[in-house]
Amino acid sequence: MKSVTLGRKESKVKLVVTIWISLLVMLTACSGGKSEQILEIGTNEVESIIVYTYDLSVNSMERHWVYRGEDLETVAEYFDSLEGEKLSEIPSSDYSDLMYGVEINEKDTEGYKMLLISNNYAITKNGEYYRIDGDEVRKICTSLKDSLNPLDSIVGMVNHRALSLVENQWRTEFMLPSEFSYEEDERVKLVGDVDTINRDVNSINFAIVNKSDKTALYGARVRLEVELGGSWYQIDDMTIGSKEISWVGLEYILESGQVENYNYKIDFYQPLPNGKYRILKEYNLDDDQLTNQFMTWEFEIID
């Protein structure tokens, strides 16, 4: 009987121990699981790092480049050491309006590594979720945002508003020439409601007119250029505060004989100096979708 009684006690002890171990495992999972490295970065192979700031409350995005020596190594080492608890998903209520994107471009590779930071979470390009120390990551991203001006970027050194527009005068040495040379096609045209526009106006009206006997296909993007010294220069990405304008990737159809009216917000660019400008849009006809053509409307901005 004693041996049987002892056996029962041992069973009870084992059961209690098993329950406690299970509880400890559950508590560990609830309080934060095992942290693991999120990205693997070789600092000697990193060519550039780009930090994006997304403000979804006002639908804006800013981009800041890190591509120089010690700055690059310091940021690369931080994100190489970043750890987090892997999750199966993130509750939608935990996403924030202000998000940071970190893009890491490595030398001699076609791909790139990227993290999206929202509150205390990080999402990789492959759709993996991690719980992280969001405060620390935001400090790093905010520091980069505040200390690195887009003027520091390789691309932004040219065609940047702060360099190109000084004391209300354009400086062509810091501007990119227009990418487009073409002959006007009378079949599909941009038609504005006026030839001159006051520089205080926040929006302009124009229409796309299809006079051809074919269907015209075009996208949402509108380009703005300025004429200086007889040549056209790009200013369509040169907006106040260096905020980029995004365009939906839809294709629009305009049948033969139809007219489509648009109201285009120009306050992204204000104030603009007096001068000659043009709106430019690409299109093609349905019988030749491989050949892009262009329609423009020229106007003057005056006081």
Side-chain angles (χ1 to χ4, degrees), residues 33-294:
K34 180 182 177 182
S35 289
E36 57 183 76
Q37 186 178 13
I38 299 176
L39 297 175
E40 292 185 7
I41 305 167
T43 54
N44 294 328
E45 298 299 319
V46 174
E47 188 169 44
S48 67
I49 295 176
I50 308 172
V51 175
Y52 298 85
T53 304
Y54 302 93
D55 189 346
L56 304 183
S57 64
V58 292
N59 195 27
S60 71
M61 186 267 281
E62 291 183 88
R63 179 174 58 191
H64 307 267
W65 292 66
V66 189
Y67 68 95
R68 296 175 303 186
E70 294 180 1
D71 290 339
L72 180 60
E73 292 176 9
T74 300
V75 180
E77 287 175 1
Y78 173 78
F79 284 104
D80 184 53
S81 64
L82 184 63
E83 293 186 343
E85 174 198 353
K86 198 166 187 180
L87 306 172
S88 59
E89 62 179 353
I90 300 174
S92 58
S93 59
D94 284 359
Y95 285 103
S96 60
D97 283 341
L98 183 63
M99 299 183 181
Y100 291 103
V102 180
E103 179 184 316
I104 298 155
N105 298 285
E106 298 175 296
K107 294 179 180 178
D108 303 321
T109 59
E110 295 182 1
Y112 58 89
K113 295 182 173 71
M114 188 163 188
L115 281 181
L116 182 65
I117 310 298
S118 180
N119 280 338
N120 294 315
Y121 302 97
I123 307 170
T124 68
K125 188 175 69 168
N126 298 325
E128 298 172 318
Y129 304 99
Y130 292 88
R131 182 183 285 114
I132 59 171
D133 182 351
D135 289 339
E136 190 62 31
V137 178
R138 280 191 293 276
K139 286 178 185 177
I140 295 292
C141 292
T142 303
S143 174
L144 291 172
K145 174 182 178 297
D146 292 341
S147 63
L148 290 173
N149 192 294
L151 288 176
D152 291 333
S153 82
I154 299 169
V155 175
M157 282 297 293
V158 181
N159 219 49
H160 191 278
R161 187 182 184 95
L163 286 175
S164 303
L165 189 55
V166 178
E167 296 181 352
N168 206 38
Q169 297 292 322
W170 292 112
R171 301 173 63 190
T172 58
E173 63 267 34
F174 293 110
M175 299 176 70
L176 295 174
S178 175
E179 300 174 331
F180 310 101
S181 58
Y182 61 95
E183 294 182 4
E184 189 76 31
D185 190 335
E186 294 295 325
R187 296 178 298 171
V188 181
K189 293 180 67 68
L190 274 181
V191 179
D193 59 347
V194 293
D195 294 326
T196 58
I197 296 170
N198 189 283
R199 64 181 304 184
D200 296 328
V201 169
N202 292 324
S203 64
I204 54 180
N205 299 310
F206 64 84
I208 300 177
V209 181
N210 185 1
K211 296 182 179 180
S212 75
D213 58 357
K214 301 177 175 64
T215 300
L217 309 172
Y218 60 92
R221 182 169 184 175
V222 177
R223 301 176 188 270
L224 182 63
E225 298 183 339
V226 61
E227 186 185 47
L228 300 167
S231 299
W232 291 98
Y233 291 86
Q234 303 175 36
I235 57 173
D236 56 299
D237 289 327
M238 199 186 298
T239 58
I240 293 175
S242 302
K243 287 182 171 59
E244 297 187 358
I245 302 174
S246 59
W247 303 100
V248 296
L250 298 176
E251 186 173 64
Y252 297 96
I253 298 174
L254 190 64
E255 300 291 349
S256 173
Q258 287 187 340
V259 177
E260 192 70 39
N261 294 299
Y262 287 90
N263 177 262
Y264 177 57
K265 299 292 184 183
I266 200 172
D267 56 347
F268 290 113
Y269 308 98
Q270 300 289 34
L272 289 173
N274 292 356
K276 187 176 182 180
Y277 295 82
R278 71 179 179 184
I279 293 291
L280 184 146
K281 284 185 67 67
E282 297 178 66
Y283 77 95
N284 52 53
L285 298 175
D286 61 359
D287 63 341
D288 187 11
Q289 296 188 26
L290 298 179
T291 303
N292 283 349
Q293 301 183 66
F294 307 95

